[in-house]
Every structure is written in C-alpha cells, then in structure tokens.
Amino acid sequence: QVQLVESGGGLVQPGGSLRLSCAASGTIFSINAMAWYCQAPGNQRELVAAISRGGSTSYADSVKGRFTISRDNAKKMVYLQMNSLKPEDTAVYYCKVNLATTPWNVNARDYWGQGTQVTVSS
C-alpha cells in the first residue's frame, strides 16, 4: 500500500519557477533511487532527473543547469526545483521511487506517482 503523492504543478510564465514535491508513504523499509519523468501529449515518458540513495544526481541535457533534484530521506520526499522554465517544459511530471516494503532491499521495486501537470505559457 505504498503511495507517492505529487504536488507543486501548475501554470507558470516562461522564465518562472516551480517546485515539485513527491511524498512517499506506507510500509517503507528503505528507499533507493528517486527520479522525475515528464510526458508531453503524444510523446514518450522521458527521464528528467534522478538522484541516488547516496545523493548523486543526473539530469537530462534539456534541463541541466535549470532544474535541481533533491531528496529528504527523513521525510521520504523527493523534490524537483524547476527554474527558468520554458514552454517546451510543458508536460505531466511523474515521480518514480525505487523502494523496499520489506527489510530486504533485494526486494525493492519501482513505484510511480499519479503525475502533476506543469504548463509553461505566456
């Protein structure tokens, strides 16, 4: 009964900023990698940013220097700070978390959030 609840999406003008949040809840023993994906209408879901359990980050070239992924292990949350937003960033953004619901991390698997709409338009 793990749930990932996303928030922070909305309508913003080009050049503006948004901060997406994703909170994991339920029976969680450990959390491994966390990531954000985006999917625009008619497009495939694409990786935007990822952060490892140890805090190492990676970004899609299109968002590098503008977006920052971070995590709060105590709160079981992952964030995506989105700055200098462009119309091309318009998409539904999904949180993905790899976590274990048992004491054995070997049993970890991916869980997805419901998605939150980000619209960048003037």
Side-chain angles (χ1 to χ4, degrees):
Q1 56 194 43
V2 172
Q3 284 189 302
L4 301 183
V5 180
E6 302 178 7
S7 61
L11 175 64
V12 65
Q13 293 186 345
S17 298
L18 287 172
R19 191 193 193 207
L20 306 184
S21 300
C22 175
S25 62
T27 304
I28 301 171
F29 284 84
S30 61
I31 298 177
N32 300 307
M34 308 173 89
W36 288 94
Y37 289 73
C38 69
Q39 186 169 22
N43 291 351
Q44 297 293 312
R45 191 170 298 186
E46 299 179 339
L47 178 65
V48 175
I51 184 167
S52 72
R53 180 169 57 183
S56 298
T57 58
S58 61
Y59 299 91
D61 288 340
S62 60
V63 307
K64 195 171 299 183
R66 300 188 297 121
F67 292 6
T68 302
I69 188 171
S70 61
R71 63 191 288 167
D72 186 327
N73 292 328
K75 295 181 178 180
K76 299 176 182 177
M77 296 188 70
V78 61
Y79 308 93
L80 186 67
Q81 179 66 46
M82 310 167 71
N83 297 328
S84 302
L85 282 161
K86 304 175 180 179
E88 305 92 271
D89 298 320
T90 296
V92 177
Y93 284 74
Y94 297 88
C95 169
K96 187 186 79 172
V97 179
N98 184 269
L99 59 85
T101 59
T102 74
W104 298 276
N105 191 54
V106 170
N107 297 324
R109 73 171 184 87
D110 291 341
Y111 292 82
W112 289 86
Q114 78 286 353
T116 184
Q117 177 70 47
V118 172
T119 302
V120 184
S121 176
S122 59

PDB file of all heavy atoms in Angstrom, residues 34-69:
ATOM      1  N   MET A  34      15.558   7.823  -6.647  1.00  0.00           N
ATOM      2  CA  MET A  34      14.336   8.569  -6.867  1.00  0.00           C
ATOM      3  C   MET A  34      14.525   9.379  -8.140  1.00  0.00           C
ATOM      4  O   MET A  34      15.639   9.780  -8.459  1.00  0.00           O
ATOM      5  CB  MET A  34      14.036   9.483  -5.674  1.00  0.00           C
ATOM      6  CG  MET A  34      14.060   8.761  -4.336  1.00  0.00           C
ATOM      7  SD  MET A  34      13.894   9.860  -2.896  1.00  0.00           S
ATOM      8  CE  MET A  34      12.106   9.883  -2.727  1.00  0.00           C
ATOM      9  N   ALA A  35      13.441   9.615  -8.853  1.00  0.00           N
ATOM     10  CA  ALA A  35      13.575  10.279 -10.140  1.00  0.00           C
ATOM     11  C   ALA A  35      12.303  11.014 -10.520  1.00  0.00           C
ATOM     12  O   ALA A  35      11.225  10.751  -9.976  1.00  0.00           O
ATOM     13  CB  ALA A  35      13.931   9.269 -11.237  1.00  0.00           C
ATOM     14  N   TRP A  36      12.453  11.931 -11.459  1.00  0.00           N
ATOM     15  CA  TRP A  36      11.332  12.635 -12.066  1.00  0.00           C
ATOM     16  C   TRP A  36      11.332  12.373 -13.563  1.00  0.00           C
ATOM     17  O   TRP A  36      12.389  12.432 -14.208  1.00  0.00           O
ATOM     18  CB  TRP A  36      11.405  14.141 -11.820  1.00  0.00           C
ATOM     19  CG  TRP A  36      11.115  14.535 -10.413  1.00  0.00           C
ATOM     20  CD1 TRP A  36      12.004  14.740  -9.413  1.00  0.00           C
ATOM     21  CD2 TRP A  36       9.816  14.781  -9.852  1.00  0.00           C
ATOM     22  NE1 TRP A  36      11.359  15.102  -8.250  1.00  0.00           N
ATOM     23  CE2 TRP A  36      10.019  15.129  -8.494  1.00  0.00           C
ATOM     24  CE3 TRP A  36       8.516  14.738 -10.351  1.00  0.00           C
ATOM     25  CZ2 TRP A  36       8.960  15.435  -7.639  1.00  0.00           C
ATOM     26  CZ3 TRP A  36       7.467  15.032  -9.503  1.00  0.00           C
ATOM     27  CH2 TRP A  36       7.686  15.378  -8.174  1.00  0.00           C
ATOM     28  N   TYR A  37      10.159  12.096 -14.091  1.00  0.00           N
ATOM     29  CA  TYR A  37       9.951  11.908 -15.518  1.00  0.00           C
ATOM     30  C   TYR A  37       8.927  12.922 -16.004  1.00  0.00           C
ATOM     31  O   TYR A  37       8.127  13.442 -15.230  1.00  0.00           O
ATOM     32  CB  TYR A  37       9.442  10.502 -15.823  1.00  0.00           C
ATOM     33  CG  TYR A  37      10.464   9.401 -15.644  1.00  0.00           C
ATOM     34  CD1 TYR A  37      10.859   8.987 -14.376  1.00  0.00           C
ATOM     35  CD2 TYR A  37      11.016   8.763 -16.747  1.00  0.00           C
ATOM     36  CE1 TYR A  37      11.792   7.972 -14.212  1.00  0.00           C
ATOM     37  CE2 TYR A  37      11.943   7.743 -16.593  1.00  0.00           C
ATOM     38  CZ  TYR A  37      12.324   7.354 -15.324  1.00  0.00           C
ATOM     39  OH  TYR A  37      13.242   6.342 -15.171  1.00  0.00           O
ATOM     40  N   CYS A  38       8.951  13.171 -17.305  1.00  0.00           N
ATOM     41  CA  CYS A  38       7.926  14.022 -17.887  1.00  0.00           C
ATOM     42  C   CYS A  38       7.362  13.354 -19.123  1.00  0.00           C
ATOM     43  O   CYS A  38       8.024  12.554 -19.785  1.00  0.00           O
ATOM     44  CB  CYS A  38       8.476  15.413 -18.231  1.00  0.00           C
ATOM     45  SG  CYS A  38       9.663  15.452 -19.586  1.00  0.00           S
ATOM     46  N   GLN A  39       6.115  13.693 -19.420  1.00  0.00           N
ATOM     47  CA  GLN A  39       5.454  13.162 -20.597  1.00  0.00           C
ATOM     48  C   GLN A  39       4.531  14.228 -21.167  1.00  0.00           C
ATOM     49  O   GLN A  39       3.548  14.611 -20.537  1.00  0.00           O
ATOM     50  CB  GLN A  39       4.665  11.901 -20.269  1.00  0.00           C
ATOM     51  CG  GLN A  39       4.069  11.215 -21.487  1.00  0.00           C
ATOM     52  CD  GLN A  39       3.527   9.836 -21.166  1.00  0.00           C
ATOM     53  OE1 GLN A  39       3.214   9.531 -20.013  1.00  0.00           O
ATOM     54  NE2 GLN A  39       3.428   8.989 -22.173  1.00  0.00           N
ATOM     55  N   ALA A  40       4.871  14.698 -22.351  1.00  0.00           N
ATOM     56  CA  ALA A  40       4.038  15.647 -23.062  1.00  0.00           C
ATOM     57  C   ALA A  40       3.057  14.878 -23.938  1.00  0.00           C
ATOM     58  O   ALA A  40       3.307  13.730 -24.310  1.00  0.00           O
ATOM     59  CB  ALA A  40       4.895  16.578 -23.917  1.00  0.00           C
ATOM     60  N   PRO A  41       1.928  15.496 -24.281  1.00  0.00           N
ATOM     61  CA  PRO A  41       0.949  14.810 -25.133  1.00  0.00           C
ATOM     62  C   PRO A  41       1.568  14.299 -26.424  1.00  0.00           C
ATOM     63  O   PRO A  41       2.258  15.032 -27.127  1.00  0.00           O
ATOM     64  CB  PRO A  41      -0.095  15.892 -25.409  1.00  0.00           C
ATOM     65  CG  PRO A  41       0.003  16.806 -24.227  1.00  0.00           C
ATOM     66  CD  PRO A  41       1.466  16.831 -23.877  1.00  0.00           C
ATOM     67  N   GLY A  42       1.339  13.032 -26.713  1.00  0.00           N
ATOM     68  CA  GLY A  42       1.862  12.432 -27.919  1.00  0.00           C
ATOM     69  C   GLY A  42       3.299  11.978 -27.840  1.00  0.00           C
ATOM     70  O   GLY A  42       3.822  11.427 -28.815  1.00  0.00           O
ATOM     71  N   ASN A  43       3.945  12.216 -26.709  1.00  0.00           N
ATOM     72  CA  ASN A  43       5.351  11.853 -26.547  1.00  0.00           C
ATOM     73  C   ASN A  43       5.520  10.701 -25.571  1.00  0.00           C
ATOM     74  O   ASN A  43       4.623  10.365 -24.796  1.00  0.00           O
ATOM     75  CB  ASN A  43       6.160  13.052 -26.058  1.00  0.00           C
ATOM     76  CG  ASN A  43       6.286  14.148 -27.089  1.00  0.00           C
ATOM     77  OD1 ASN A  43       5.911  13.967 -28.251  1.00  0.00           O
ATOM     78  ND2 ASN A  43       6.812  15.289 -26.675  1.00  0.00           N
ATOM     79  N   GLN A  44       6.701  10.110 -25.614  1.00  0.00           N
ATOM     80  CA  GLN A  44       7.059   9.080 -24.660  1.00  0.00           C
ATOM     81  C   GLN A  44       7.448   9.714 -23.326  1.00  0.00           C
ATOM     82  O   GLN A  44       7.869  10.871 -23.272  1.00  0.00           O
ATOM     83  CB  GLN A  44       8.214   8.236 -25.195  1.00  0.00           C
ATOM     84  CG  GLN A  44       7.897   7.468 -26.460  1.00  0.00           C
ATOM     85  CD  GLN A  44       6.863   6.396 -26.225  1.00  0.00           C
ATOM     86  OE1 GLN A  44       6.964   5.614 -25.276  1.00  0.00           O
ATOM     87  NE2 GLN A  44       5.857   6.344 -27.084  1.00  0.00           N
ATOM     88  N   ARG A  45       7.294   8.953 -22.274  1.00  0.00           N
ATOM     89  CA  ARG A  45       7.731   9.417 -20.970  1.00  0.00           C
ATOM     90  C   ARG A  45       9.257   9.435 -20.933  1.00  0.00           C
ATOM     91  O   ARG A  45       9.910   8.453 -21.295  1.00  0.00           O
ATOM     92  CB  ARG A  45       7.171   8.520 -19.875  1.00  0.00           C
ATOM     93  CG  ARG A  45       7.363   9.069 -18.469  1.00  0.00           C
ATOM     94  CD  ARG A  45       6.575   8.266 -17.446  1.00  0.00           C
ATOM     95  NE  ARG A  45       5.141   8.324 -17.697  1.00  0.00           N
ATOM     96  CZ  ARG A  45       4.222   7.807 -16.886  1.00  0.00           C
ATOM     97  NH1 ARG A  45       4.588   7.193 -15.766  1.00  0.00           N
ATOM     98  NH2 ARG A  45       2.937   7.896 -17.196  1.00  0.00           N
ATOM     99  N   GLU A  46       9.824  10.548 -20.493  1.00  0.00           N
ATOM    100  CA  GLU A  46      11.258  10.734 -20.511  1.00  0.00           C
ATOM    101  C   GLU A  46      11.796  11.055 -19.126  1.00  0.00           C
ATOM    102  O   GLU A  46      11.142  11.732 -18.335  1.00  0.00           O
ATOM    103  CB  GLU A  46      11.647  11.868 -21.467  1.00  0.00           C
ATOM    104  CG  GLU A  46      11.248  11.635 -22.913  1.00  0.00           C
ATOM    105  CD  GLU A  46      11.630  12.787 -23.812  1.00  0.00           C
ATOM    106  OE1 GLU A  46      11.830  13.907 -23.294  1.00  0.00           O
ATOM    107  OE2 GLU A  46      11.742  12.563 -25.027  1.00  0.00           O
ATOM    108  N   LEU A  47      12.987  10.575 -18.873  1.00  0.00           N
ATOM    109  CA  LEU A  47      13.662  10.875 -17.609  1.00  0.00           C
ATOM    110  C   LEU A  47      14.128  12.319 -17.603  1.00  0.00           C
ATOM    111  O   LEU A  47      14.797  12.773 -18.530  1.00  0.00           O
ATOM    112  CB  LEU A  47      14.840   9.930 -17.420  1.00  0.00           C
ATOM    113  CG  LEU A  47      15.679  10.142 -16.154  1.00  0.00           C
ATOM    114  CD1 LEU A  47      14.855   9.844 -14.906  1.00  0.00           C
ATOM    115  CD2 LEU A  47      16.922   9.262 -16.187  1.00  0.00           C
ATOM    116  N   VAL A  48      13.791  13.030 -16.548  1.00  0.00           N
ATOM    117  CA  VAL A  48      14.202  14.416 -16.371  1.00  0.00           C
ATOM    118  C   VAL A  48      15.401  14.512 -15.448  1.00  0.00           C
ATOM    119  O   VAL A  48      16.394  15.178 -15.756  1.00  0.00           O
ATOM    120  CB  VAL A  48      13.044  15.270 -15.823  1.00  0.00           C
ATOM    121  CG1 VAL A  48      13.507  16.690 -15.533  1.00  0.00           C
ATOM    122  CG2 VAL A  48      11.874  15.272 -16.800  1.00  0.00           C
ATOM    123  N   ALA A  49      15.301  13.877 -14.303  1.00  0.00           N
ATOM    124  CA  ALA A  49      16.358  13.945 -13.310  1.00  0.00           C
ATOM    125  C   ALA A  49      16.262  12.742 -12.392  1.00  0.00           C
ATOM    126  O   ALA A  49      15.180  12.204 -12.174  1.00  0.00           O
ATOM    127  CB  ALA A  49      16.267  15.238 -12.492  1.00  0.00           C
ATOM    128  N   ALA A  50      17.385  12.338 -11.857  1.00  0.00           N
ATOM    129  CA  ALA A  50      17.426  11.210 -10.942  1.00  0.00           C
ATOM    130  C   ALA A  50      18.418  11.488  -9.833  1.00  0.00           C
ATOM    131  O   ALA A  50      19.394  12.226 -10.022  1.00  0.00           O
ATOM    132  CB  ALA A  50      17.807   9.925 -11.678  1.00  0.00           C
ATOM    133  N   ILE A  51      18.164  10.890  -8.690  1.00  0.00           N
ATOM    134  CA  ILE A  51      19.060  11.037  -7.552  1.00  0.00           C
ATOM    135  C   ILE A  51      19.187   9.695  -6.860  1.00  0.00           C
ATOM    136  O   ILE A  51      18.199   9.013  -6.592  1.00  0.00           O
ATOM    137  CB  ILE A  51      18.566  12.146  -6.589  1.00  0.00           C
ATOM    138  CG1 ILE A  51      19.560  12.351  -5.447  1.00  0.00           C
ATOM    139  CG2 ILE A  51      17.163  11.838  -6.065  1.00  0.00           C
ATOM    140  CD1 ILE A  51      19.294  13.631  -4.649  1.00  0.00           C
ATOM    141  N   SER A  52      20.402   9.301  -6.597  1.00  0.00           N
ATOM    142  CA  SER A  52      20.669   8.014  -5.978  1.00  0.00           C
ATOM    143  C   SER A  52      20.468   8.082  -4.476  1.00  0.00           C
ATOM    144  O   SER A  52      20.280   9.147  -3.891  1.00  0.00           O
ATOM    145  CB  SER A  52      22.092   7.559  -6.294  1.00  0.00           C
ATOM    146  OG  SER A  52      23.033   8.341  -5.581  1.00  0.00           O
ATOM    147  N   ARG A  53      20.544   6.922  -3.850  1.00  0.00           N
ATOM    148  CA  ARG A  53      20.422   6.866  -2.401  1.00  0.00           C
ATOM    149  C   ARG A  53      21.508   7.694  -1.724  1.00  0.00           C
ATOM    150  O   ARG A  53      21.263   8.307  -0.677  1.00  0.00           O
ATOM    151  CB  ARG A  53      20.494   5.411  -1.932  1.00  0.00           C
ATOM    152  CG  ARG A  53      20.370   5.220  -0.433  1.00  0.00           C
ATOM    153  CD  ARG A  53      20.186   3.759  -0.079  1.00  0.00           C
ATOM    154  NE  ARG A  53      21.262   2.931  -0.593  1.00  0.00           N
ATOM    155  CZ  ARG A  53      21.321   1.617  -0.474  1.00  0.00           C
ATOM    156  NH1 ARG A  53      20.330   0.972   0.148  1.00  0.00           N
ATOM    157  NH2 ARG A  53      22.336   0.936  -0.978  1.00  0.00           N
ATOM    158  N   GLY A  54      22.682   7.726  -2.329  1.00  0.00           N
ATOM    159  CA  GLY A  54      23.786   8.487  -1.783  1.00  0.00           C
ATOM    160  C   GLY A  54      23.794   9.954  -2.161  1.00  0.00           C
ATOM    161  O   GLY A  54      24.674  10.695  -1.718  1.00  0.00           O
ATOM    162  N   GLY A  55      22.839  10.386  -2.978  1.00  0.00           N
ATOM    163  CA  GLY A  55      22.731  11.787  -3.325  1.00  0.00           C
ATOM    164  C   GLY A  55      23.333  12.182  -4.655  1.00  0.00           C
ATOM    165  O   GLY A  55      23.312  13.372  -5.006  1.00  0.00           O
ATOM    166  N   SER A  56      23.864  11.238  -5.406  1.00  0.00           N
ATOM    167  CA  SER A  56      24.380  11.555  -6.730  1.00  0.00           C
ATOM    168  C   SER A  56      23.229  11.875  -7.671  1.00  0.00           C
ATOM    169  O   SER A  56      22.202  11.188  -7.666  1.00  0.00           O
ATOM    170  CB  SER A  56      25.194  10.392  -7.286  1.00  0.00           C
ATOM    171  OG  SER A  56      26.319  10.130  -6.467  1.00  0.00           O
ATOM    172  N   THR A  57      23.399  12.897  -8.493  1.00  0.00           N
ATOM    173  CA  THR A  57      22.322  13.349  -9.362  1.00  0.00           C
ATOM    174  C   THR A  57      22.708  13.253 -10.824  1.00  0.00           C
ATOM    175  O   THR A  57      23.883  13.302 -11.183  1.00  0.00           O
ATOM    176  CB  THR A  57      21.927  14.798  -9.054  1.00  0.00           C
ATOM    177  OG1 THR A  57      23.071  15.651  -9.217  1.00  0.00           O
ATOM    178  CG2 THR A  57      21.420  14.923  -7.628  1.00  0.00           C
ATOM    179  N   SER A  58      21.699  13.133 -11.664  1.00  0.00           N
ATOM    180  CA  SER A  58      21.880  13.167 -13.101  1.00  0.00           C
ATOM    181  C   SER A  58      20.682  13.870 -13.716  1.00  0.00           C
ATOM    182  O   SER A  58      19.579  13.834 -13.161  1.00  0.00           O
ATOM    183  CB  SER A  58      22.041  11.761 -13.681  1.00  0.00           C
ATOM    184  OG  SER A  58      20.892  10.974 -13.426  1.00  0.00           O
ATOM    185  N   TYR A  59      20.898  14.512 -14.861  1.00  0.00           N
ATOM    186  CA  TYR A  59      19.862  15.312 -15.491  1.00  0.00           C
ATOM    187  C   TYR A  59      19.843  15.095 -16.987  1.00  0.00           C
ATOM    188  O   TYR A  59      20.870  14.830 -17.609  1.00  0.00           O
ATOM    189  CB  TYR A  59      20.087  16.805 -15.223  1.00  0.00           C
ATOM    190  CG  TYR A  59      20.067  17.183 -13.768  1.00  0.00           C
ATOM    191  CD1 TYR A  59      21.232  17.189 -13.019  1.00  0.00           C
ATOM    192  CD2 TYR A  59      18.875  17.539 -13.151  1.00  0.00           C
ATOM    193  CE1 TYR A  59      21.209  17.539 -11.679  1.00  0.00           C
ATOM    194  CE2 TYR A  59      18.849  17.886 -11.816  1.00  0.00           C
ATOM    195  CZ  TYR A  59      20.010  17.885 -11.082  1.00  0.00           C
ATOM    196  OH  TYR A  59      19.987  18.234  -9.752  1.00  0.00           O
ATOM    197  N   ALA A  60      18.665  15.235 -17.557  1.00  0.00           N
ATOM    198  CA  ALA A  60      18.565  15.301 -18.998  1.00  0.00           C
ATOM    199  C   ALA A  60      19.250  16.569 -19.485  1.00  0.00           C
ATOM    200  O   ALA A  60      19.231  17.597 -18.804  1.00  0.00           O
ATOM    201  CB  ALA A  60      17.104  15.293 -19.434  1.00  0.00           C
ATOM    202  N   ASP A  61      19.848  16.498 -20.657  1.00  0.00           N
ATOM    203  CA  ASP A  61      20.565  17.658 -21.181  1.00  0.00           C
ATOM    204  C   ASP A  61      19.668  18.891 -21.293  1.00  0.00           C
ATOM    205  O   ASP A  61      20.126  20.022 -21.101  1.00  0.00           O
ATOM    206  CB  ASP A  61      21.164  17.339 -22.550  1.00  0.00           C
ATOM    207  CG  ASP A  61      22.342  16.388 -22.462  1.00  0.00           C
ATOM    208  OD1 ASP A  61      22.933  16.262 -21.371  1.00  0.00           O
ATOM    209  OD2 ASP A  61      22.686  15.777 -23.492  1.00  0.00           O
ATOM    210  N   SER A  62      18.410  18.685 -21.587  1.00  0.00           N
ATOM    211  CA  SER A  62      17.498  19.792 -21.805  1.00  0.00           C
ATOM    212  C   SER A  62      17.200  20.595 -20.541  1.00  0.00           C
ATOM    213  O   SER A  62      16.751  21.741 -20.632  1.00  0.00           O
ATOM    214  CB  SER A  62      16.186  19.287 -22.405  1.00  0.00           C
ATOM    215  OG  SER A  62      15.556  18.364 -21.535  1.00  0.00           O
ATOM    216  N   VAL A  63      17.437  20.013 -19.373  1.00  0.00           N
ATOM    217  CA  VAL A  63      17.123  20.700 -18.124  1.00  0.00           C
ATOM    218  C   VAL A  63      18.356  20.994 -17.290  1.00  0.00           C
ATOM    219  O   VAL A  63      18.251  21.671 -16.258  1.00  0.00           O
ATOM    220  CB  VAL A  63      16.117  19.904 -17.273  1.00  0.00           C
ATOM    221  CG1 VAL A  63      14.883  19.556 -18.091  1.00  0.00           C
ATOM    222  CG2 VAL A  63      16.759  18.647 -16.698  1.00  0.00           C
ATOM    223  N   LYS A  64      19.492  20.524 -17.717  1.00  0.00           N
ATOM    224  CA  LYS A  64      20.722  20.711 -16.961  1.00  0.00           C
ATOM    225  C   LYS A  64      21.006  22.201 -16.771  1.00  0.00           C
ATOM    226  O   LYS A  64      20.963  22.983 -17.718  1.00  0.00           O
ATOM    227  CB  LYS A  64      21.880  20.024 -17.674  1.00  0.00           C
ATOM    228  CG  LYS A  64      23.124  19.849 -16.830  1.00  0.00           C
ATOM    229  CD  LYS A  64      24.150  18.966 -17.542  1.00  0.00           C
ATOM    230  CE  LYS A  64      23.608  17.574 -17.805  1.00  0.00           C
ATOM    231  NZ  LYS A  64      24.606  16.681 -18.435  1.00  0.00           N
ATOM    232  N   GLY A  65      21.282  22.571 -15.547  1.00  0.00           N
ATOM    233  CA  GLY A  65      21.527  23.965 -15.225  1.00  0.00           C
ATOM    234  C   GLY A  65      20.284  24.734 -14.846  1.00  0.00           C
ATOM    235  O   GLY A  65      20.395  25.854 -14.320  1.00  0.00           O
ATOM    236  N   ARG A  66      19.112  24.177 -15.107  1.00  0.00           N
ATOM    237  CA  ARG A  66      17.852  24.845 -14.782  1.00  0.00           C
ATOM    238  C   ARG A  66      17.071  24.130 -13.683  1.00  0.00           C
ATOM    239  O   ARG A  66      16.426  24.775 -12.863  1.00  0.00           O
ATOM    240  CB  ARG A  66      16.965  24.961 -16.023  1.00  0.00           C
ATOM    241  CG  ARG A  66      17.594  25.755 -17.156  1.00  0.00           C
ATOM    242  CD  ARG A  66      16.593  26.002 -18.279  1.00  0.00           C
ATOM    243  NE  ARG A  66      16.148  24.752 -18.898  1.00  0.00           N
ATOM    244  CZ  ARG A  66      14.882  24.345 -18.948  1.00  0.00           C
ATOM    245  NH1 ARG A  66      13.926  25.100 -18.412  1.00  0.00           N
ATOM    246  NH2 ARG A  66      14.568  23.206 -19.548  1.00  0.00           N
ATOM    247  N   PHE A  67      17.123  22.807 -13.696  1.00  0.00           N
ATOM    248  CA  PHE A  67      16.387  22.012 -12.720  1.00  0.00           C
ATOM    249  C   PHE A  67      17.346  21.422 -11.694  1.00  0.00           C
ATOM    250  O   PHE A  67      18.505  21.119 -12.005  1.00  0.00           O
ATOM    251  CB  PHE A  67      15.645  20.856 -13.391  1.00  0.00           C
ATOM    252  CG  PHE A  67      14.504  21.275 -14.288  1.00  0.00           C
ATOM    253  CD1 PHE A  67      14.248  22.606 -14.574  1.00  0.00           C
ATOM    254  CD2 PHE A  67      13.684  20.302 -14.845  1.00  0.00           C
ATOM    255  CE1 PHE A  67      13.198  22.976 -15.400  1.00  0.00           C
ATOM    256  CE2 PHE A  67      12.635  20.657 -15.670  1.00  0.00           C
ATOM    257  CZ  PHE A  67      12.392  21.989 -15.954  1.00  0.00           C
ATOM    258  N   THR A  68      16.853  21.223 -10.496  1.00  0.00           N
ATOM    259  CA  THR A  68      17.636  20.601  -9.440  1.00  0.00           C
ATOM    260  C   THR A  68      16.775  19.578  -8.716  1.00  0.00           C
ATOM    261  O   THR A  68      15.698  19.907  -8.222  1.00  0.00           O
ATOM    262  CB  THR A  68      18.156  21.632  -8.429  1.00  0.00           C
ATOM    263  OG1 THR A  68      18.948  22.613  -9.095  1.00  0.00           O
ATOM    264  CG2 THR A  68      19.006  20.945  -7.367  1.00  0.00           C
ATOM    265  N   ILE A  69      17.251  18.354  -8.661  1.00  0.00           N
ATOM    266  CA  ILE A  69      16.557  17.318  -7.923  1.00  0.00           C
ATOM    267  C   ILE A  69      17.213  17.176  -6.552  1.00  0.00           C
ATOM    268  O   ILE A  69      18.433  17.289  -6.417  1.00  0.00           O
ATOM    269  CB  ILE A  69      16.568  15.973  -8.682  1.00  0.00           C
ATOM    270  CG1 ILE A  69      15.675  14.948  -7.980  1.00  0.00           C
ATOM    271  CG2 ILE A  69      17.985  15.443  -8.855  1.00  0.00           C
ATOM    272  CD1 ILE A  69      15.458  13.674  -8.787  1.00  0.00           C
TER     273      ILE A  69
END
